[in-house]
């Protein structure tokens, strides 16, 4: 698969319309990190909450004028060339997110809030499959595997987040997709509180006057925790 990322310069409405082949009304647009001409990245931050010592998140905002309700989220991880006999085949895995459903995602322009979504790296049934190297399976069993460990397998890999939601006024259901993230799109840092930008912890302390708020981040061991909305 080509790594051409010319889609970064594609008009936002065209990118978001792709999954359902429709022009998406302005009030339904969801902006994922990376679709706003900001370099696409997954945030990687140190934490005591996971055995690996790292947490991985993507962030989005509701850029429309109306709320999105019953928002469902899932991630898809594709790895090429895991089977030596089939080097061009892609294997598909579905890592769990810290929560998969948000009852109400308010319009960011009104609420000033955004949604940070944690990727639960070691929480996926397919990771125990024999097609994965034994060393990786052992790391996954112990909960110490990193996203880089998984996305460095095979000859290529991509991670993508999908969102399904209903416009609060019309009830229209839309499907949105994030950019295709590659292993080199993982960037160490935390999300700024009032934007989709990834910054260092030191910068966060200087600009926000506090440490990044760990208490609002769902635990790996508590998928039913409240979403990290800010």
């Amino acid at each position: 698969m080509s790594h051409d990322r010319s889609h970064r310069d594609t008009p936002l409405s065209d990118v978001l319309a792709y999954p359902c082949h429709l022009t998406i009304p302005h009030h339904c647009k969801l902006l994922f990190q990376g679709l706003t001409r900001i370099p696409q990245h997954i945030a990687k931050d140190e934490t005591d909450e996971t055995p690996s010592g790292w947490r991985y998140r993507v962030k989005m905002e509701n850029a429309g004028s109306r709320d999105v309700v019953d928002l469902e989220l899932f991630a898809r991880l594709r790895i090429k060339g895991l089977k030596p006999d089939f080097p061009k085949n892609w294997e598909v895995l579905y890592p769990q997110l810290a929560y998969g459903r948000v009852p109400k995602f308010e319009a960011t322009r009104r609420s000033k809030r955004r949604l940070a979504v944690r990727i639960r790296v070691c929480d996926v049934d397919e990771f125990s499959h024999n097609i994965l190297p034994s060393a990786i399976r052992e790391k996954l069993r112990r909960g110490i595997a990193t996203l880089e460990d998984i996305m460095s397998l095979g000859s290529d890999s991509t991670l993508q987040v999908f969102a399904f939601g209903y416009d609060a006024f019309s009830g229209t259901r839309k499907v949105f997709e994030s950019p295709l993230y590659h292993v080199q799109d993982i960037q160490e840092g935390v999300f700024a509180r009032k934007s989709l930008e990834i910054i260092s912890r030191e910068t966060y302390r200087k600009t926000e006057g506090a440490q990044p708020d760990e208490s609002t981040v769902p635990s790996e061991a508590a998928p039913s925790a409240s979403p990290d909305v800010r």
Side-chain angles (χ1 to χ4, degrees):
M1 175 178 288
S2 170
H3 289 323
D4 177 18
R5 299 192 184 179
S6 60
H7 64 276
R8 292 183 181 178
D9 297 323
T10 302
L12 181 60
S13 60
D14 292 344
V15 175
L16 291 174
Y18 173 77
C20 52
H21 306 288
L22 294 171
T23 299
I24 296 176
H26 175 74
H27 62 264
C28 289
K29 291 180 181 177
L30 293 178
L31 302 185
F32 278 84
Q33 161 70 8
L35 282 182
T36 59
R37 297 187 184 277
I38 299 173
Q40 63 175 24
H41 289 101
I42 296 170
K44 173 186 179 180
D45 185 31
E46 289 185 275
T47 181
D48 294 330
E49 298 175 351
T50 65
S52 71
W54 298 100
R55 65 180 179 185
Y56 300 85
R57 295 187 297 168
V58 295
K59 193 173 184 179
M60 69 182 79
E61 66 180 25
N62 178 355
S65 59
R66 297 207 290 256
D67 299 338
V68 175
V69 297
D70 198 15
L71 186 70
E72 295 183 77
L73 305 163
F74 75 90
R76 182 179 68 186
L77 175 60
R78 301 171 72 237
I79 305 174
K80 184 179 181 181
L82 274 178
K83 297 179 180 179
D85 294 338
F86 303 96
K88 295 184 179 181
N89 283 11
W90 291 81
E91 304 298 327
V92 181
L93 309 173
Y94 293 94
Q96 297 297 308
L97 302 177
Y99 46 89
R101 174 169 288 180
V102 178
K104 185 178 182 180
F105 188 20
E106 296 176 309
T108 302
R109 67 174 64 181
R110 184 179 68 254
S111 67
K112 309 301 182 185
R113 307 179 80 186
R114 295 165 180 83
L115 179 65
V117 182
R118 177 182 288 192
I119 302 164
R120 297 167 59 87
V121 176
C122 295
D123 188 5
V124 59
D125 294 339
E126 291 93 337
F127 278 150
S128 62
H129 199 286
N130 289 332
I131 62 174
L132 295 177
S134 59
I136 294 297
R137 296 202 306 271
E138 177 60 18
K139 280 189 172 184
L140 289 161
R141 185 187 67 79
R142 295 168 57 194
I144 62 173
T146 65
L147 187 56
E148 291 93 332
D149 289 333
I150 307 304
M151 295 190 71
S152 295
L153 296 174
S155 59
D156 192 11
S157 66
T158 63
L159 176 71
Q160 194 166 28
V161 176
F162 296 86
F164 301 80
Y166 296 88
D167 175 68
F169 179 77
S170 68
T172 303
R173 190 171 193 250
K174 297 294 182 181
V175 182
F176 311 97
E177 62 181 31
S178 76
L180 287 173
Y181 297 109
H182 295 82
V183 67
Q184 62 266 30
D185 295 319
I186 299 172
Q187 177 180 325
E188 189 170 342
V190 297
F191 284 110
R193 182 171 293 276
K194 298 179 180 180
S195 75
L196 302 178
E197 183 183 5
I198 297 175
I199 59 177
S200 68
R201 278 182 166 267
E202 181 179 359
T203 300
Y204 191 101
R205 286 193 296 268
K206 291 179 179 179
T207 58
E208 301 293 340
Q211 291 280 356
D213 187 359
E214 296 282 348
S215 65
T216 63
V217 180
S219 167
E220 287 282 357
S224 59
S226 298
D228 180 13
V229 182
R230 54 187 179 179

